[in-house]
Amino acid sequence: MTKNKNGLRGLTLSALAAALLGALPAWAVDPFTLRDIRVEGLQRVEPGTVFASLPFRIGDQYSDDKGSTAIRSLFGLGLFSDIRLQINGDVLVVIVEERPTVADVSFSGIKEFDNDVLTKALRDIGLTEGRPFDKALADRAEQELKRQYINKSMYSAQVVTTVTPGERNRVNLNFSVVEGDVAKINEIRIVGNQAFSESTLRNLFDLDTGGWLSWYTKSDRYSRAKLNADIETLRSYYLTRGYLEFRIDSTQVAISPDKQDMSITLNITEGNRYVVSSVALEGEYLGKEEEFKSLITLEAGEAYNSENVTSTVKAFTDYFGAFGYAFAQVEATPEIDRVNKRVSFVLRAQPARRVYVRRINVEGNNRTRDEVVRREFRQLESAWYDSDRIRLSRDRVDRLGFFTEVGIDTQQVPGSPDQVDLTVSVVEKPTGNLSLGAGYSQAEQLSIIAGIRQENVFGSGNYLGIDINTSKFNRQLVLSTVDPYFTADGISRSIDAYYRTTRPYDTQSETGDYRLITKGASLRFGVPFTEADTVFFGAGVEQTTIEPGVFLPDAYRDYARDFGETSNTLPLTVGWSRDTRDSALVPTRGRLQRVNSELGVAGDARYVKASYQFQQYIPLSKQYTLAFNTELGLGKGFGGRPYPVFKNFFGGGLGSVRGFEQGTLGPVSPVANSLTGEGINIGGNRSIALSAEFITPFPGAGNDRSLRMFGFVDVGNVFGENDTRENAKDLRASVGVGLSWISPVGPLRFAVANPIRKFTGDKIQKFQFQIGTSF
């Protein structure tokens, strides 16, 4: 032990280390009882933080071991750059030197990133305002920033860190970045292919050497994650075409000396193409071997297809699940005959233990009440596990339209092999939205419709909507509310109240002042008869007034003359709906059918009005979907009364034949004293609209279901009672492309259409958009 001039015994960190190594036993301190502990050198750290880390207190025995433990504990806090222990008699003095604290983190030269993104990245590694600073942390921050740029294919980015001392032992950090240019892929090579051309295989990749859309998709920027995905796509391509032993031998990624160009080389071995020779079953199949055999998609004589193997195993597993065997093990074992290039499969099954569902948990529903999700479930708690009911439950929750994602996970209950818990994970979407519909034409310029809807009021699952249209030719106020579970059995109740004023559009209506005024209310109940079928019953009261004015169409004038300007009606409604779609917002499979009928049984108008809608979604792959939509309408008067002209169907525009102005297809009524000699579109009592869409992900969006493109073909028209079969041939048609986006304010659809079958006098509107449901 050494003594200083003041007689203090000093035990430095280096001396303590030497003592710990046992090299200099003279440094040892005889144990003694602590009378006091003092701390020196603190600036911002609270003394209590130091005392809490010491392994001893006043009155305890002090020893070398406890001293070294104290130093390690204090260094472990990460707050100090130096720590010394001094002993003055029976008093221990802890002398510390605090690390500088980060006062500010700034960036300069940043263009590719938002500052907030980089600030978060540094915060994740522990570098942020108010935290202790050391050089190692700054070096790690530099590497993290470079990693961020490498992920953006900016390999030449340089980062320089400047540390500026400030007051009270604080430092300011600035990261100066020279970003450089983006390294782009200039070559992708595939070596070893024989069955397929290199260009065919390269076209499978998301990565490429650049194209006209690369500025958006960034497909010419290298990404390890994207390359791995492309490798799996390549592997899947071969495995679904018979190449059972296909493999990737090596992957080489090279960058040019100037870090501007990159090349990718994949070395592959295709192997032989195998044909399935036979498929056999082994194991326990619950005495239902024939039922399981009907689920096999592998067929003898066809080329091996890994997707068929996977789908067969999944079908077997799901079928076991329908009987309560949630953890059934199914294995497809290939037996390869390389000489004859054939492969046989043995499907071995072990159903394990039958289980029942103990509990169903719901996660992610921050707004939506649990009961809204639970009442859609057909799998019950304390019941046998049933994969069919679970799948149906998932689809029913998805069809609510409140969530962008719905998933169900199965977890075995620890210690209970015959019990499982189900966790329903949902990602909520904004259900309150502003509804907009617009179109552009040379005659009317921009037309807009607005509405406010809440599909999930206060998380109850109820719908409340207000639609307001203040356009030049159609004005309306509609209040609607729907309670989908008016009764516990799932009977729904809908209430509507509306007030509409309408002037059919034409080029001379701006000078006309006639109107159709419709006001009324209705009550409707929906009764579910099966999981997919619902029948609707309802009644209402409605009043329609034809208010005469300049340029009133002759059809309205004649009806008002014969039956009065005001018609009071008591309509009864009956409808049927069957919905097996997997989603209400972005369906990819399933079918929707709807029949609605309206019967005017009392009042001034006697009529029947019926409509039918059919939608079919066919998944072509995980990414592509083919969709069909058919809508038919028919109206007829009875009791000696004609079909009311104000109940006509209209066609044209979104929801009908795109490319034509909204509501301008069909019969035209002459107008007395017309300035132009043209008539006005008044709709008709018969309508037809056919649509076909090919739906694909938006380029660069991957499998994001919320943003999709589609190409479409529309055919349709509206016909009047006096139209002959010859007139019925005058169908309009259009083709075009569109964009569908589940935006924060609702489903948004853009369409650019080109009419391919049109006639003189048709009103064309090539660009249209709408926020609302599909079709």
Side-chain angles (χ1 to χ4, degrees):
M1 180 166 297
T2 59
K3 292 186 178 180
N4 57 23
K5 294 181 179 180
N6 297 323
L8 295 176
R9 292 173 293 175
L11 183 60
T12 65
L13 180 60
S14 58
L16 178 60
L20 291 175
L21 294 172
L24 297 173
W27 292 110
V29 176
D30 295 332
F32 63 93
T33 301
L34 287 168
R35 182 174 60 84
D36 193 13
I37 302 174
R38 301 172 187 171
V39 181
E40 297 179 358
L42 295 178
Q43 297 183 15
R44 288 176 307 278
V45 179
E46 293 293 331
T49 302
V50 176
F51 287 123
S53 300
L54 297 178
F56 40 71
R57 300 289 182 270
I58 295 176
D60 292 347
Q61 284 282 318
Y62 174 83
S63 65
D64 285 340
D65 290 340
K66 290 185 177 181
S68 60
T69 300
I71 290 176
R72 285 196 300 269
S73 178
L74 292 174
F75 268 118
L77 296 174
L79 301 174
F80 308 111
S81 59
D82 189 27
I83 302 168
R84 291 182 296 146
L85 302 181
Q86 285 190 349
I87 299 172
N88 184 9
D90 52 4
V91 176
L92 176 67
V93 181
V94 182
I95 303 172
V96 297
E97 181 178 335
E98 291 186 7
R99 285 182 177 176
T101 301
V102 177
D104 179 63
V105 179
S106 61
F107 306 93
S108 58
I110 301 293
K111 297 178 182 178
E112 184 69 17
F113 294 94
D114 185 82
N115 283 359
D116 292 340
V117 174
L118 297 182
T119 299
K120 181 182 182 302
L122 297 188
R123 184 185 303 118
D124 291 341
I125 65 170
L127 183 60
T128 186
E129 296 178 7
R131 296 289 298 272
F133 168 79
D134 64 21
K135 184 63 171 62
L137 197 58
D139 293 341
R140 185 179 173 190
E142 278 191 19
Q143 296 304 315
E144 174 61 24
L145 292 178
K146 290 180 180 179
R147 188 185 68 82
Q148 294 285 335
Y149 276 96
I150 288 175
N151 289 340
K152 293 280 188 176
S153 294
M154 304 180 75
Y155 292 88
S156 59
Q158 299 178 4
V159 181
V160 177
T161 306
T162 302
V163 181
T164 305
E167 298 179 351
R168 300 183 59 222
N169 197 26
R170 305 176 73 186
V171 295
N172 298 316
L173 296 181
N174 175 262
F175 294 94
S176 178
V177 180
V178 178
E179 294 186 333
D181 296 326
V182 175
K184 296 184 178 180
I185 300 172
N186 67 346
E187 183 183 37
I188 298 177
R189 294 191 58 206
I190 300 175
V191 180
N193 57 298
Q194 297 178 358
F196 307 101
S197 67
E198 190 173 358
S199 60
T200 299
L201 300 179
R202 281 200 304 264
N203 287 337
L204 301 173
F205 291 5
D206 286 336
L207 291 176
D208 57 36
T209 56
W212 67 274
L213 204 58
S214 295
W215 62 271
Y216 173 77
T217 63
K218 297 180 174 54
S219 58
D220 57 349
R221 294 191 182 188
Y222 171 77
S223 165
R224 185 65 198 178
K226 286 185 177 181
L227 179 58
N228 289 338
D230 287 341
I231 289 174
E232 290 307 311
T233 300
L234 178 64
R235 193 190 314 276
S236 176
Y237 186 79
Y238 273 94
L239 293 178
T240 55
R241 285 160 176 79
Y243 294 88
L244 175 61
E245 297 179 308
F246 170 83
R247 68 176 186 269
I248 306 288
D249 296 320
S250 65
T251 303
Q252 300 167 357
V253 180
I255 188 169
S256 63
D258 61 359
K259 298 183 179 181
Q260 299 301 302
D261 297 317
M262 302 189 69
S263 63
I264 301 173
T265 302
L266 300 179
N267 295 286
I268 67 174
T269 298
E270 292 181 336
N272 294 322
R273 185 173 183 267
Y274 288 92
V275 174
V276 177
S277 59
S278 64
V279 181
L281 303 184
E282 287 186 6
E284 175 57 49
Y285 285 93
L286 311 177
K288 302 178 183 294
E289 284 78 2
E290 294 303 318
E291 289 90 334
F292 277 96
K293 286 181 180 180
S294 67
L295 302 175
I296 298 175
T297 56
L298 286 166
E299 293 188 14
E302 292 189 353
Y304 164 79
N305 188 325
S306 62
E307 289 183 355
N308 288 343
V309 177
T310 302
S311 63
T312 298
V313 171
K314 184 178 185 304
F316 276 31
T317 304
D318 290 344
Y319 198 56
F320 275 118
F323 298 102
Y325 297 92
F327 302 105
Q329 298 178 357
V330 180
E331 181 181 358
T333 304
E335 296 179 357
I336 302 174
D337 179 0
R338 293 182 175 84
V339 175
N340 298 309
K341 299 178 183 178
R342 291 182 171 272
V343 58
S344 61
F345 279 89
V346 177
L347 297 170
R348 294 185 174 89
Q350 178 53 254
R353 186 187 298 269
R354 194 180 185 192
V355 300
Y356 67 90
V357 176
R358 183 189 69 165
R359 186 177 298 125
I360 299 175
N361 303 310
V362 183
E363 295 180 351
N365 55 323
N366 299 321
R367 174 180 174 82
T368 306
R369 300 173 188 172
D370 269 19
E371 64 174 317
V372 174
V373 177
R374 291 182 181 277
R375 66 193 183 192
E376 301 299 330
F377 254 70
R378 296 304 177 257
Q379 170 68 60
L380 304 179
E381 294 181 338
S382 300
W384 289 117
Y385 178 97
D386 189 328
S387 59
D388 289 340
R389 289 181 176 272
I390 293 172
R391 185 164 48 253
L392 174 62
S393 302
R394 195 216 73 85
D395 288 348
R396 288 180 62 90
V397 173
D398 200 0
R399 283 200 295 266
L400 289 173
F402 304 157
F403 314 109
T404 57
E405 296 179 17
V406 179
I408 299 180
D409 294 326
T410 303
Q411 300 98 21
Q412 189 167 356
V413 177
S416 301
D418 61 343
Q419 298 182 37
V420 296
D421 288 340
L422 299 181
T423 300
V424 186
S425 301
V426 298
V427 178
E428 293 184 315
K429 76 175 187 68
T431 54
N433 61 69
L434 173 66
S435 176
L436 296 175
Y440 183 85
S441 67
Q442 292 181 342
E444 198 178 2
Q445 302 299 312
L446 186 66
S447 58
I448 298 178
I449 303 169
I452 299 175
R453 299 187 181 98
Q454 177 52 262
E455 300 174 0
N456 188 13
V457 180
F458 307 120
S460 65
N462 294 347
Y463 169 86
L464 178 64
I466 302 176
D467 287 314
I468 302 173
N469 186 342
T470 59
S471 71
K472 187 178 300 182
F473 303 105
N474 296 281
R475 299 190 177 189
Q476 70 175 8
L477 173 63
V478 181
L479 302 178
S480 303
T481 179
V482 179
D483 183 352
Y485 278 80
F486 179 65
T487 69
D489 296 330
I491 296 177
S492 65
R493 181 197 64 188
S494 304
I495 301 175
D496 298 295
Y498 49 89
Y499 180 90
R500 301 186 181 96
T501 63
T502 305
R503 287 166 48 199
Y505 172 79
D506 85 311
T507 56
Q508 55 191 332
S509 292
E510 295 186 18
T511 57
D513 57 0
Y514 69 91
R515 294 189 302 170
L516 302 179
I517 302 174
T518 304
K519 49 189 175 183
S522 64
L523 175 66
R524 188 171 66 163
F525 296 94
V527 182
F529 280 80
T530 69
E531 291 294 341
D533 295 278
T534 303
V535 176
F536 299 94
F537 307 92
V541 59
E542 184 175 270
Q543 181 184 84
T544 301
T545 300
I546 301 175
E547 188 175 281
V550 180
F551 301 133
L552 178 69
D554 290 353
Y556 291 104
R557 189 186 306 277
D558 294 344
Y559 191 90
R561 181 194 62 215
D562 296 339
F563 304 104
E565 295 179 355
T566 300
S567 294
N568 296 307
T569 311
L570 180 65
L572 302 179
T573 57
V574 178
W576 165 76
S577 170
R578 171 178 290 175
D579 191 355
T580 60
R581 297 174 301 170
D582 59 340
S583 173
L585 284 176
V586 283
T588 59
R589 58 178 171 84
R591 178 182 300 169
L592 168 66
Q593 295 185 80
R594 280 195 289 232
V595 174
N596 290 304
S597 62
E598 182 179 316
L599 184 65
V601 297
D604 302 317
R606 304 295 175 87
Y607 65 93
V608 59
K609 181 180 182 180
S611 63
Y612 171 71
Q613 182 180 22
F614 174 89
Q615 288 184 5
Q616 179 72 53
Y617 294 88
I618 303 173
L620 302 179
S621 68
K622 187 177 181 180
Q623 294 180 316
Y624 305 113
T625 302
L626 194 60
F628 298 95
N629 184 68
T630 299
E631 293 188 47
L632 305 174
L634 177 64
K636 193 75 175 177
F638 64 88
R641 299 290 183 96
Y643 183 72
V645 65
F646 46 79
K647 287 291 183 179
N648 278 346
F649 296 96
F650 287 85
L654 291 169
S656 178
V657 184
R658 286 162 282 199
F660 297 87
E661 288 188 11
Q662 200 77 28
T664 61
L665 296 183
V668 175
S669 174
V671 177
N673 302 318
S674 171
L675 298 177
T676 63
E678 297 180 359
I680 294 178
N681 297 95
I682 59 170
N685 70 320
R686 291 174 291 164
S687 68
I688 180 173
L690 309 173
S691 297
E693 292 187 357
F694 176 75
I695 305 171
T696 177
F698 191 77
N703 292 320
D704 183 4
R705 296 198 306 166
S706 66
L707 182 61
R708 303 185 296 175
M709 292 181 63
F710 56 89
F712 63 85
V713 178
D714 292 342
V715 179
N717 204 351
V718 176
F719 307 100
E721 286 187 301
N722 298 325
D723 286 334
T724 64
R725 290 185 177 180
E726 190 67 29
N727 297 124
K729 296 179 181 179
D730 295 337
L731 293 174
R732 271 56 169 182
S734 65
V735 298
V737 295
L739 175 69
S740 175
W741 176 37
I742 309 300
S743 71
V745 294
L748 173 63
R749 289 172 71 88
F750 291 91
V752 178
N754 180 42
I756 58 175
R757 182 176 172 86
K758 58 185 177 179
F759 295 85
T760 302
D762 288 346
K763 300 177 176 66
I764 307 303
Q765 191 178 60
K766 291 190 175 183
F767 173 73
Q768 296 164 319
F769 76 87
Q770 176 183 7
I771 293 183
T773 56
S774 298
F775 287 104

